[in-house]
Amino acid sequence: MSKTYDTDVLIAGAGPAGLVLGIELARSGIAFRLIEQRTEPLQASRGKGSQPRTLEIYEDIGALPGYLEISGPYPPLCMLKGDTVIGERPFNVQIEPTPDVPYPNMIMAPQWRTDAVLRATLQAHGGEVEDGVELRRFEQDGGGVTATLQAGGQSSSARAKYLVGADGGRSLVRTALGIDFPGEAMAARRIIFGDICVDTLARDKWWIWQTEHGPVGLCPLPHVDAFQLMIPLTANEEPEISEASVIALFQSRTGRTDLRIHDATWLSLFTPSLRLADCYRKERVFI
């Protein structure tokens, strides 16, 4: 690496995409910096499912043994009205593995635990995440990218051959590049998600209450105490995203005031969007 560069590749964002990219660069002996503006990983289930192809990638990069320890199969779906079971079915049909598709079935784990496995895999390959370092802006020229970073209230400059924005749907990198992100937000399908503990509810089912406002779910997360909570909202609802408010909304939707729900570790309002970036690279910057 030339002395005019601090690193070959600067990666902004240490979610699963940024972590896997860091692992691949480390395996290939390519110098990189992986920065994450959060000072510590987000403790949230978020995207809990892993597809068959993802499991193959985890095997290739050395993350599969750790992931299998923290993951588990999807439980069957149990539909209810109040406290009455009205139906049950498997989440999906289980498929036998083959040499071409060795991991044919989806499995799940809370995303924060998946991130921890990927961080450990990155460390095993000699890499690390720089937490609490934020990308503020960047400029590129024919020879590289100069980025302004901020950490602990102090600004610094980093010079890299390439910049990769793995910084999510509201990507600063994408926005700064002027890459359009056409599509639409599906505001009518907003959902409250959360990780929360529930007493006296069996953990061998994905419990789904059929309500007039849509299905309300509690999915047990493998190897932790929490369930992932899902509550769809109506078009005009604007509930407070707090533990007390969300519990009250769950009870009013399902009628299940008998369940003790407590200790939410993460609550979020999710609005699904159907969008696709116009392109994924501009000169020396990728998204």
Side-chain angles (χ1 to χ4, degrees):
M1 185 173 63
S2 168
K3 292 183 180 180
T4 60
Y5 299 99
D6 299 301
T7 193
D8 287 332
V9 183
L10 176 64
I11 308 168
L19 287 165
V20 171
L21 176 58
I23 292 166
E24 292 286 27
L25 293 175
R27 294 172 73 199
S28 301
I30 298 172
F32 69 94
R33 290 182 65 184
L34 174 51
I35 62 172
E36 168 57 52
Q37 68 177 3
R38 297 181 186 275
T39 57
E40 57 185 29
L42 180 65
Q43 300 292 301
S45 58
R46 299 181 76 175
K48 63 182 181 295
S50 288
Q51 299 283 348
R53 178 58 182 153
T54 300
L55 298 175
E56 293 177 22
I57 292 171
Y58 286 170
E59 180 181 49
D60 180 60
I61 64 177
L64 186 61
Y67 182 75
L68 292 178
E69 288 182 1
I70 57 104
S71 61
Y74 277 78
L77 307 178
C78 184
M79 278 66 72
L80 305 103
K81 283 277 190 181
D83 59 0
T84 301
V85 174
I86 59 175
E88 185 173 324
R89 66 174 176 84
F91 174 78
N92 54 11
V93 176
Q94 296 296 291
I95 301 171
E96 291 297 319
T98 67
D100 290 336
V101 186
Y103 309 105
N105 300 301
M106 282 184 65
I107 56 177
M108 66 171 177
Q111 186 176 321
W112 64 270
R113 300 203 76 191
T114 302
D115 287 353
V117 168
L118 292 175
R119 281 180 176 240
T121 305
L122 176 66
Q123 188 174 28
H125 287 295
E128 64 176 357
V129 178
E130 299 177 44
D131 289 309
V133 181
E134 180 183 2
L135 174 67
R136 299 302 298 272
R137 56 186 176 272
F138 62 88
E139 298 176 349
Q140 63 174 318
D141 52 50
V145 181
T146 302
T148 300
L149 311 179
Q150 183 163 316
Q154 301 295 318
S155 293
S156 63
S157 179
R159 177 76 172 167
K161 293 179 181 178
Y162 299 96
L163 168 67
V164 179
D167 50 346
R170 297 183 178 87
S171 171
L172 177 147
V173 176
R174 177 185 57 77
T175 302
L177 290 173
I179 295 175
D180 198 12
F181 199 33
E184 62 177 341
M186 304 170 70
R189 299 186 180 181
R190 295 175 306 145
I191 304 171
I192 292 176
F193 280 97
D195 294 346
I196 201 160
C197 294
V198 185
D199 293 348
T200 68
L201 188 64
R203 298 184 58 83
D204 60 346
K205 302 288 192 300
W206 184 339
W207 305 97
I208 300 176
W209 285 265
Q210 303 297 332
T211 79
E212 62 178 318
H213 301 300
V216 174
L218 282 170
C219 179
L221 297 168
H223 308 298
V224 296
D225 292 335
F227 287 74
Q228 185 186 62
L229 169 69
M230 295 143 279
I231 305 177
L233 299 178
T234 62
N236 299 319
E237 274 187 303
E238 297 293 342
E240 177 186 347
I241 308 302
S242 66
E243 179 175 306
S245 176
V246 169
I247 291 172
L249 185 61
F250 171 86
Q251 292 175 337
S252 68
R253 286 278 206 274
T254 66
R256 294 300 300 270
T257 57
D258 57 309
L259 297 175
R260 180 173 177 262
I261 304 175
H262 58 97
D263 290 333
T265 56
W266 169 67
L267 295 168
S268 179
L269 177 59
F270 172 67
T271 302
S273 294
L274 296 175
R275 299 183 183 276
L276 187 66
D278 279 345
C279 63
Y280 290 84
R281 177 183 183 180
K282 283 199 173 180
E283 300 173 8
R284 289 180 172 268
V285 183
F286 298 77
I287 61 170

